[in-house]
Amino acid sequence: MRNETFRNPPMSLPLENLAGAAAEERPGDPLMSVRNLRVSFATEDGFFPAVRGVSFDVLPGQCLGIVGESGSGKSVTSLALMGLLPPPPGTIVEGEVHFAGRDLRKLRPEEMRKLCGNEIAMIFQEPMSSLNPAFTIGDQIAEVVRTHENVPARVARARALELLQEVQIAAPERRLDEYPHRLSGGMRQRVMIAIALACRPRMLIADEPTTALDVTVQAQILELLRMLQGEYGMSIMLISHNLGVISEIADDIAVMYAGRIVEQAKAAQLFEKPEHPYTIGLLGAIPTRGKSRLVSIKGRVPDLLSLPPGCPFAPRCPFMVPEICCGTEPPLIAVEPQHSTACYRAPLDQVL
Amino acid sequence: MSTSAAPLLEAKDLVKTFHLGGPFARSQQEVHAVDGVSFHVDARETLAVVGESGCGKSTLGRLLMRLIEPTSGSIRLEGEELTEKKGRALLPYRRKIQMIFQDPYGSLNPRMTVQDTLADLLRIHGIARGSSAKQRVGELLETVGLPASSAKRYPHEFSGGQRQRIGIARALAVNPQVIVCDEAVSALDVSVQAQIVNLLEDIQVEFGLSYLFISHDLTVVRHMADRVAVMYLGRIVEMGEAESIFEHPRHPYTRALLDVVPVPSATRRPHRTVLKGDIPNPLTPPKGCHFHPRCPFALDRCRVEAPKLVPTGEGLVACHRWQELPSWDHATHVPGDPGGRLERLQARFADGAAVRSYGSRSG
């Protein structure tokens, strides 16, 4: 009975809408295009639907920011794209992932392995857990170079040095022979970025890349990502819980709530004229100057195993009207070109 | 200053030096985690201590709680010297100053129900026993926005935000005057963080509390603080009224911090100074001004002579060149839109804020 909501997914999805809007504005296909992605985890209590139908495009040379709180499904989405879900319990139930014209879900494991690292790379929040403590920085970068390119060790090492210079590590020659524990958190993240850059990927997925870092170091890493994006025309998918961090480099922003995208827009549009009540509440919850009291969204994130009928945000939403909001889940539809929201009450100007 | 005007909590020249390496280690190393820090906290005010990791702000909080012994210096509460008190003599003092930690789960006993944890505390401090303790626990939980019935549950049955509410209830149990909040909202999601920040503000008014608010998050500090102390490698480099620190920061480090705080905004800030490098190793802090290797304004003098905290008219700053620095006019805030669309929409959440929210866990 608990799985009822999951087995009967809402039918309407805004695929045409999204694709249409993107095609109108910009010539050229998106680099990555995700359609109706559903991921669930087998648990003792039934199938836990972590991602419930997510669609988005990442355009060449652009940065898509995905923002959401814990449990919104943002990290699971990125792991699913890279084929890094632990199977079992995690499985992609449905959906399409196209990257540069290829259907990633149809690739064989060897092909996928080649693509990951070569064309799509990923960095994580905790760089120490991605680095091997028993090997030097130089060896670890060189290993990646040699996995993807057939070059002698000497060349790979020279390439590792170049990469460290590129990510602006202080004293790169010395770092080559150092072990990860000798580096600070910021430097480790730079090493991870160097590894990610080893094969000049066309797309970088950065999952909370600055969350554990101090603000000054966070600014350095964001600056570096922005530079890489500009210099190499790399696409970035930046995942963060921090709207401030997202606003530093994202061109487009998708807001996730309870496993779905509830609002998607150009960055400026999202901050100037947000349309989804959750986005509005989230922006109000961030302390800024002159705010006498923070917006407090009542209650908490729903349990995905027993979602309320209708809009998952309805129980916490001040604009909720039971007859409208508690029937079926609202689809993500465009309110303006390049701006969609999953809210029956949008545009919210009408409720003011 | 006369004794009648003694501040609620006062620290003077506090020093904490940690010795690294055991008795048989080849070399003895010292870290000056807190290096001569002085400040005071008045009744009903919030003093925020900000700084990056390793600046000594958490050590400072622990010193005030007497969780660790200061190497030298004094801590006075209502004029009474506390560094000399030990054991039982400290108990009355512990009632007056309490602490909330970053990780509430790590600070709650997983094998004790909330009722047991809080009732123990009330008994030890001789506040209430038996049925009156039970009633008091219920009241405390309701004060922090949890149903009284949640007393029967164990810590693991609560979400992060709810656990932080329990941490706050525990701090409130002994009717303290000062609460040291060590990164109390840092690990929480934005929306939960907002709920806890609002709760902290409400109970501050309700119980007349003072906060020593330790945080690395300048946006929360700007919202909460009356006064701000900025720390760098164990020393306070700037201190003053929050308004003056955020609008007219004097120290290059404070300016650099404010410059890089990510603010969600439609317009990307064009100008910013991103500091180079990391915080230096506290084992071998730079000579002179600790900040000089990263400071764009450093002179030879800064490399040899440590600057003292001097009054600027608005606050205190420890920089040789504070009077010569260019004026600082980077607005760090989102241009407000008072009464605008977004504000009116956000106002609709307000009734939700007044009702202290909690969710019960299903199953």
Side-chain angles (χ1 to χ4, degrees), chain A residues 135-138 174-183 187:
Chain A
F135 290 91
T136 63
I137 300 300
R174 214 176 68 216
R175 304 292 171 216
L176 274 183
D177 296 313
E178 277 186 0
Y179 290 89
H181 75 270
R182 300 267 302 157
L183 307 185
M187 283 199 270

Side-chain angles (χ1 to χ4, degrees), chain A residues 69-70 184 187 214-220 223 241 244-245 247-250 268 271-275 277 280-281 283-287 289 291-300 303 318-319 348-349 351-352, chain B residues 52-53 159 162 189-195 197-198 201-202 219-220 222-223 243 247 257 260 262-266 268-269 272 274-278 294 333-334 341-342 344-346 348-349 353 357 359 361-362:
Chain A
E69 299 185 281
S70 342
S184 68
M187 283 199 270
D214 277 315
V215 272
T216 55
V217 182
Q218 168 172 287
Q220 294 168 1
E223 199 99 308
H241 69 284
V245 167
S247 86
E248 293 276 333
I249 59 172
F271 291 117
E272 244 159 46
K273 206 164 172 285
E275 279 294 354
I280 290 164
L283 284 170
I286 300 167
R289 200 183 90 115
K291 219 180 257 177
S292 52
R293 198 174 169 86
L294 302 183
V295 165
S296 165
I297 306 173
K298 65 181 176 186
R300 49 202 191 97
D303 182 357
F319 308 103
L348 287 173
D349 286 332
V351 303
L352 269 181
Chain B
E52 297 179 275
S53 39
S159 68
Q162 288 173 324
D189 269 322
V190 191
S191 66
V192 182
Q193 175 178 294
Q195 292 173 354
V197 165
N198 285 344
E201 288 181 333
D202 289 346
T219 55
V220 177
R222 172 166 226 161
H223 184 79
E243 190 63 20
E247 293 302 314
L257 277 183
V260 296
V263 182
S265 111
R268 215 161 274 170
R269 281 168 298 161
R272 44 192 259 149
V274 174
L275 282 182
K276 296 262 180 285
D278 294 306
R294 300 172 84 189
H333 60 274
V334 185
R341 170 183 181 273
L342 188 53
R344 279 186 291 151
L345 286 170
Q346 283 169 347
R348 298 285 290 272
F349 283 88
S357 47
R361 227 180 156 81
S362 57

Side-chain angles (χ1 to χ4, degrees), chain B residues 172-193:
Chain B
L172 285 179
V174 294
N175 295 315
Q177 288 169 294
V178 185
I179 297 184
V180 176
C181 307
D182 188 1
E183 301 280 8
V185 298
S186 305
L188 304 171
D189 269 322
V190 191
S191 66
V192 182
Q193 175 178 294

Side-chain angles (χ1 to χ4, degrees), chain B residues 7 94 230 248 264-265 290:
Chain B
R94 295 217 190 276
V230 183
H248 313 287
S265 111
H290 284 346

Side-chain angles (χ1 to χ4, degrees), chain A residues 34-56:
Chain A
V34 175
R35 290 293 172 269
N36 196 21
L37 182 74
R38 287 170 182 277
V39 178
S40 69
F41 288 86
T43 70
E44 282 175 13
D45 299 331
F47 281 100
F48 183 87
V51 178
R52 304 180 303 118
V54 160
S55 306
F56 58 82

Side-chain angles (χ1 to χ4, degrees), chain B residues 29-331:
Chain B
Q29 284 181 303
E30 286 186 346
V31 180
H32 301 278
V34 172
D35 194 4
V37 164
S38 306
F39 62 87
H40 70 271
V41 183
D42 287 326
R44 296 163 191 272
E45 86 163 345
T46 302
L47 172 68
V49 179
V50 301
E52 297 179 275
S53 39
C55 74
K57 56 191 194 301
S58 287
T59 306
L60 188 66
R62 273 152 216 271
L63 284 174
L64 293 177
M65 289 301 294
R66 292 289 309 274
L67 293 173
I68 48 177
E69 292 296 313
T71 310
S72 67
S74 92
I75 305 167
R76 286 166 183 269
L77 186 74
E78 296 177 309
E80 212 176 322
E81 181 61 46
L82 294 162
T83 44
E84 288 145 21
K85 296 198 194 311
K86 284 200 168 67
R88 284 222 153 260
L90 263 178
L91 209 55
Y93 163 62
R94 295 217 190 276
R95 273 201 285 282
K96 290 183 180 168
I97 171 162
Q98 282 287 316
M99 190 159 183
I100 307 170
F101 299 88
Q102 170 168 4
D103 172 19
Y105 198 53
S107 56
L108 293 168
N109 187 333
R111 311 188 71 166
M112 282 168 86
T113 62
V114 172
Q115 170 73 38
D116 293 341
T117 301
L118 295 178
D120 250 17
L121 187 71
L122 294 170
R123 184 179 51 76
I124 289 166
H125 285 279
I127 294 168
R129 283 166 182 278
S131 62
S132 70
K134 194 167 181 191
Q135 194 194 335
R136 179 85 181 104
V137 168
E139 283 168 18
L140 280 168
L141 291 175
E142 273 166 9
T143 305
V144 298
L146 291 170
S149 59
S150 54
K152 288 186 278 275
R153 300 209 214 135
Y154 288 89
H156 75 263
E157 296 177 68
F158 296 92
S159 68
Q162 288 173 324
R163 273 180 216 144
Q164 197 53 288
R165 286 175 196 268
I166 297 168
I168 295 170
R170 183 181 52 185
L172 285 179
V174 294
N175 295 315
Q177 288 169 294
V178 185
I179 297 184
V180 176
C181 307
D182 188 1
E183 301 280 8
V185 298
S186 305
L188 304 171
D189 269 322
V190 191
S191 66
V192 182
Q193 175 178 294
Q195 292 173 354
I196 301 294
V197 165
N198 285 344
L199 172 64
L200 287 173
E201 288 181 333
D202 289 346
I203 59 173
Q204 178 165 40
V205 175
E206 199 172 337
F207 301 105
L209 297 169
S210 301
Y211 290 134
L212 186 83
F213 195 83
I214 298 167
S215 179
H216 71 278
D217 186 338
L218 283 149
T219 55
V220 177
V221 164
R222 172 166 226 161
H223 184 79
M224 294 278 296
D226 299 309
R227 286 189 304 126
V228 177
V230 183
M231 282 186 79
Y232 191 74
L233 281 182
R235 297 178 187 162
I236 291 180
V237 295
E238 186 165 8
M239 182 153 62
E241 299 290 323
E243 190 63 20
S244 115
I245 294 274
F246 283 101
E247 293 302 314
H248 313 287
R250 306 277 186 185
H251 198 284
Y253 179 62
T254 315
R255 293 180 172 193
L257 277 183
L258 291 178
D259 242 0
V260 296
V261 176
V263 182
S265 111
T267 47
R268 215 161 274 170
R269 281 168 298 161
H271 180 103
R272 44 192 259 149
T273 330
V274 174
L275 282 182
K276 296 262 180 285
D278 294 306
I279 289 199
N281 186 347
L283 276 172
T284 51
K287 295 223 169 12
C289 174
H290 284 346
F291 186 59
H292 84 253
R294 300 172 84 189
C295 181
F297 305 105
L299 297 175
D300 286 344
R301 186 185 173 196
C302 307
R303 295 184 186 103
V304 283
E305 187 190 335
K308 291 193 173 58
L309 267 180
V310 294
T312 63
E314 283 184 334
L316 298 167
V317 66
C319 175
H320 292 308
R321 304 195 66 194
W322 72 270
Q323 278 162 310
E324 308 160 38
L325 296 186
S327 65
W328 199 82
D329 51 2
H330 310 171

